């Protein structure tokens, strides 16, 4: 956030897959003290248990009220914090195209979830904006989604490793996403 502020990159901050909300609570705190001004924060999550969690279900599931409670606990819940509840395949396509994104953080464990976000929101990431991927080094399906998307959209950006699980990159040029390259559902969006 400091990086996009320093570079004058406009736009909101989005996290898709917020779990308990900690990263976005920190984002709210940082933006509240920024000279750039308070940015809108969008928190996309099922806020429920989803198929595919397996034995991690009780650890990973959350509720919108629970996450709002954490925001309230730290005094960070205000009109700039916007919750979007539901599966990405249902909620992400409702994104208001053309709204600039300064930071896009994707924290989901599935190929389809990453594809939902990248094919819908990537065009709106501002040049100079930051894209962060959790799970990219720990979940092969997530890395496959990134490598497919990068190849199919002719992206020049390379991942910069954060830790053993995550990576980020700075968007270097505007891209018109070719929707015809999107693959059919691979995992989370397959009919049950």
């Amino acid at each position: 956030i400091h990086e996009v502020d320093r570079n004058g990159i406009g736009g909101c901050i989005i996290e898709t897959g917020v779990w308990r909300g900690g990263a976005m609570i920190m984002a709210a705190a940082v933006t509240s003290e920024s000279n750039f001004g308070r940015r809108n924060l969008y928190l996309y999550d099922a806020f429920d248990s989803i198929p595919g969690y397996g034995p991690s279900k009780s650890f990973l599931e959350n509720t919108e009220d629970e996450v709002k409670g954490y925001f309230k606990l730290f005094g960070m819940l205000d009109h700039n914090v916007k919750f979007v509840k539901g599966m990405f395949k249902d909620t992400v396509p409702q994104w208001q195209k053309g709204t600039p994104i300064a930071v896009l953080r994707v924290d989901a464990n599935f190929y389809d979830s990453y594809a939902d976000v990248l094919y819908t929101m990537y065009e709106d990431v501002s040049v100079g904006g930051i894209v962060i991927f959790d799970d990219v080094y720990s979940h092969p399906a997530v890395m496959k989604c990134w490598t497919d998307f990068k190849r199919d959209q002719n992206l020049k950006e390379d991942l910069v490793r954060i830790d053993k699980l995550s990576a980020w990159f700075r968007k270097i040029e505007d891209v018109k996403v070719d929707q015809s390259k999107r693959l059919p559902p691979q995992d989370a969006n397959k009919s049950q």
Side-chain angles (χ1 to χ4, degrees):
I1 297 166
H2 290 302
E3 181 72 13
V4 292
D5 284 354
R6 251 191 317 276
N7 291 314
I9 307 301
C12 63
I13 299 170
I14 296 177
E15 183 173 31
T16 54
V18 303
W19 193 39
R20 307 275 189 242
M24 289 300 266
I25 292 168
M26 181 64 72
V30 170
T31 63
S32 71
E33 296 182 4
S34 170
N35 292 333
F36 197 82
R38 188 72 186 252
R39 295 175 187 267
N40 285 331
L41 307 179
Y42 292 88
L43 290 79
Y44 284 78
D45 201 283
F47 296 112
D48 200 355
S49 180
I50 65 168
Y53 276 173
S56 300
K57 176 184 171 191
S58 63
F59 178 70
L60 293 174
E61 66 186 2
N62 62 5
T63 67
E64 183 177 346
D65 286 341
E66 179 182 9
V67 176
K68 282 182 178 177
Y70 295 135
F71 270 82
K72 288 177 186 173
L73 178 67
F74 292 98
M76 292 292 125
L77 186 62
D78 65 17
H79 69 280
N80 293 87
V81 179
K82 300 163 188 327
F83 289 81
V84 185
K85 181 180 179 175
M87 297 292 287
F88 293 169
K89 69 183 178 73
D90 300 320
T91 58
V92 169
Q94 297 174 34
W95 170 248
Q96 195 72 296
K97 295 296 291 170
T99 304
I101 301 169
V103 178
L104 175 62
R105 182 172 188 256
V106 189
D107 187 358
N109 301 341
F110 305 103
Y111 185 106
D112 293 339
S113 300
Y114 271 74
D116 290 336
V117 173
L118 290 170
Y119 275 89
T120 302
M121 296 178 165
Y122 187 73
E123 280 183 19
D124 291 330
V125 174
S126 302
V127 171
I130 303 292
V131 178
I132 304 165
F133 294 149
D134 268 23
D135 314 313
V136 73
Y137 290 114
S138 59
H139 290 70
V142 170
M143 179 61 83
K144 180 167 177 17
C145 183
W146 164 244
T147 56
D148 288 351
F149 186 79
K150 178 180 177 177
R151 179 197 64 231
D152 293 345
Q153 305 303 324
N154 298 310
L155 302 183
K156 296 177 178 83
E157 292 84 353
D158 290 317
L159 295 178
V160 177
R161 193 171 205 131
I162 296 170
D163 56 26
K164 68 181 191 172
L165 307 175
S166 309
W168 72 279
F169 65 90
R170 182 186 327 278
K171 186 174 179 182
I172 58 176
E173 65 184 8
D174 276 324
V175 172
K176 176 74 175 152
V177 172
D178 182 351
Q179 298 292 331
S180 74
K181 302 287 187 176
R182 185 163 184 175
L183 296 176
Q186 304 293 302
D187 48 30
N189 294 346
K190 281 187 175 178
S191 296
Q192 299 297 333

